[in-house]
Amino acid sequence: QVPLVESGGGSVQAGGSVRLSCVASAYAYSSYCMAWFRQAPGKEREGVVFMISSTGSTLYGAKVNGRAALSRDDAANTLYLQIDNLKPEDTAMYYCAADSDYTCGMFDPREYNYWGQGTQVTVSS
């Protein structure tokens, strides 16, 4: 079973919103920490938000802080990421990730051991 499957990306005009979904397998969803990352062409993968699963505590990256909201549906093993007021610089492949270790990898992608295939978000001006 694929651990994480993202969906919801697409082409959006600047100022619009996008809601991404990440459906997780049971073992991935039980990870200590889950996160969304994004990667634009030619750039490093960067953290958008991470969540400590047991408490629901979240931390957003500076570039999306105030525009993004993470939510979850535990019954469906699904994580959602909504980003409002999209900007062209939000254009990237967005990935869902899970860190099953006993500490959270936070915004270090090397610490995450489960990844989805990504969903593309393209924001036009």
Side-chain angles (χ1 to χ4, degrees):
Q1 184 181 8
V2 178
L4 300 165
V5 179
E6 304 96 331
S7 62
S11 297
V12 187
Q13 288 202 326
S17 299
V18 68
R19 189 183 191 221
L20 308 179
S21 300
C22 171
V23 179
S25 64
Y27 61 86
Y29 198 74
S30 65
S31 294
Y32 181 76
C33 185
M34 297 190 72
W36 283 93
F37 287 82
R38 67 185 184 183
Q39 188 167 20
K43 295 189 176 181
E44 292 187 352
R45 193 164 295 192
E46 65 176 9
V48 178
V49 58
F50 72 83
M51 177 186 70
I52 305 296
S53 299
S54 59
T55 64
S57 298
T58 57
L59 184 67
Y60 294 89
K63 294 180 181 179
V64 299
N65 195 27
R67 299 188 295 122
L70 184 72
S71 60
R72 63 184 183 178
D73 181 347
D74 292 340
N77 288 355
T78 302
L79 208 61
Y80 301 99
L81 173 67
Q82 177 152 338
I83 306 177
D84 298 322
N85 191 22
L86 283 162
K87 306 174 183 180
E89 50 265 42
D90 292 318
T91 295
M93 185 72 80
Y94 284 72
Y95 298 92
C96 182
D99 179 359
S100 60
D101 201 353
Y102 293 106
T103 58
C104 183
M106 293 191 288
F107 288 145
D108 186 349
R110 298 170 298 178
E111 297 294 324
Y112 288 79
N113 49 331
Y114 298 127
W115 289 89
Q117 82 290 348
T119 185
Q120 177 69 36
V121 175
T122 302
V123 184
S124 57
S125 57

